[in-house]
Amino acid sequence: MIPATSSKLKVLIVDDSSFMRMAIRGILTKAPGVEIVGIAADGMEGVEKALALKPDLITMDVEMPRMDGIAALKQIMSKQPTRVLMVSTLTCEGARATFEALEAGAIDYVPKNVSDCKDAQAMFQAALLEKVREASVSAIPRRGGLGLVQRVAPPVQVRPSQFANRRIGYVGIGASTGGPVALQEVISRIPVNFPHGIVVAIHMPKAFTGPYAERLNAKCSLSIREAVDGDIVKGGQVLIAPGGMHTSLVRQGSNIVVKTSPTSEFPQYIYIPSVDQMITSMADASNGAMLGVILTGMGNDGFKGMKHLKEKGGLTLVQNEATSTIYGMPRACIDGKVADVVLPLDQIGFEIGKIG
């Protein structure tokens, strides 16, 4: 489950609920390659043990006495940057706190379902193991959060001229782990008068995409909201694909329109919402007159969509390795030779903004 290394992944569990501490410990103790090095019952104790034990990864609850998870995270990031995985409730308030944590330097989050239902417990176990696996290969946050330690990478050869004289009427963006912060970085650099509609598919649960869109809308100049079935893709607007279902784009007359579908209609897709489905359908609806963008994330969701877009004559852009929290999704596009342009995160929004 965890990539083979010379030593085990050392994990510190921070949660005020004895039930959750036991549950997380029980799940991770059975995972090969993981060692639980400490348990803390609140944020203050969590900071103390993080500094003393120097774990590779911390699971951090949000709401705790004495010191909450956000405050503890900020202290850890300022003193000893560490990979932190937030354990968040599936509520709007939980979502808002999670995005604050991601901006402060958390790697990712695990939605916490407090139900006694066996299915819910099984889903939490699967999600926790997957996120720990992803975090184990992620970049280490930089001091103070809000970014990543820059990996050493060769200079990127950028050819902005590829944007010139190309048929681009729409932009589709896909992301996963590290995506919430990366997308904010990208969207915030696109001018308010950008003439093309943007649709985003990012792997998030249903309860999180609405609050995330609201947060982006408050921080960026473009109009940003969660997409609903029947929305028309318009210039100057960013539509976030809703969680818990798949989003397609279809042609209706002169417009491209959002179509949302239950996951049962696309059983071939593991990731929800599917970046592959969003980009593939947008490529068809626009007849290739679009830019596809893949940001940080685990796995290869988006590769098939970008390949189809290339076949339709569209343009593709991906985030480089040095600035990716996890290089899986961008790497799949580069290795599969479907990336026209590769850029560091802080340049992607500016390049998108150059499209006339």
Side-chain angles (χ1 to χ4, degrees), residues 32-301:
V34 175
E35 177 186 1
I36 306 301
V37 296
I39 302 286
D42 59 50
M44 189 174 295
E45 185 182 5
V47 173
E48 293 170 355
K49 290 194 173 181
L51 299 180
L53 299 172
K54 296 180 172 56
D56 301 310
L57 174 68
I58 301 170
T59 68
M60 179 79 72
D61 189 20
V62 176
E63 296 180 5
M64 294 181 289
R66 292 208 301 167
M67 181 185 291
D68 65 34
I70 306 295
L73 170 71
K74 290 178 179 178
Q75 285 204 22
I76 291 168
M77 289 304 161
S78 68
K79 298 175 180 178
Q80 184 175 285
T82 307
R83 298 176 182 89
V84 176
L85 192 61
M86 304 304 293
V87 181
S88 309
T89 55
L90 273 171
T91 64
C92 288
E93 285 305 314
R96 294 186 182 101
T98 298
F99 299 134
E100 183 180 349
L102 293 175
E103 288 185 9
I107 291 292
D108 206 350
Y109 60 93
V110 182
K112 176 170 58 177
N113 194 327
V114 296
S115 169
D116 291 333
C117 171
K118 288 185 178 180
D119 287 345
Q121 293 174 6
M123 288 176 63
F124 174 73
Q125 176 173 328
L128 177 62
L129 291 172
E130 178 184 9
K131 296 296 186 179
V132 168
R133 179 175 64 89
E134 292 179 1
S136 70
V137 296
S138 66
I140 299 173
R142 72 182 185 187
R143 192 171 300 278
L146 296 175
L148 302 169
V149 173
Q150 295 289 303
R151 296 189 179 99
V152 176
V156 176
Q157 298 299 318
V158 182
R159 294 182 291 168
S161 61
Q162 291 193 61
F163 287 87
N165 304 315
R166 297 294 295 266
R167 293 184 312 126
I168 297 176
Y170 303 89
V171 178
I173 303 176
S176 186
T177 310
V181 174
L183 183 64
Q184 180 178 316
E185 171 80 10
V186 170
I187 299 297
S188 66
R189 296 176 186 271
I190 300 176
V192 67
N193 62 346
F194 188 67
H196 309 299
I198 301 172
V199 180
V200 175
I202 185 167
H203 302 154
M204 279 187 185
K206 183 178 181 180
F208 278 35
T209 44
Y212 178 61
E214 292 173 3
R215 188 177 186 87
L216 281 183
N217 189 59
K219 290 176 173 287
C220 303
S221 59
L222 292 170
S223 173
I224 305 166
R225 62 181 176 82
E226 185 180 41
V228 298
D229 195 77
D231 270 337
I232 296 174
V233 183
K234 302 175 181 178
Q237 176 177 262
V238 180
L239 297 175
I240 307 294
M245 61 185 73
H246 292 302
T247 291
S248 305
L249 289 308
V250 297
R251 170 68 65 176
Q252 290 187 2
S254 61
N255 297 318
I256 287 182
V257 176
V258 170
K259 179 185 178 184
T260 57
S261 306
T263 58
S264 58
E265 290 193 16
F266 297 97
Q268 69 270 35
Y269 295 127
I270 299 172
Y271 301 103
I272 306 169
S274 167
V275 178
D276 277 328
Q277 176 59 25
M278 184 273 287
I279 291 182
T280 296
S281 61
M282 181 181 271
D284 287 338
S286 67
N287 196 26
M290 64 168 283
L291 170 68
V293 181
I294 296 295
L295 304 178
T296 173
M298 189 68 144
N300 62 1
D301 189 23

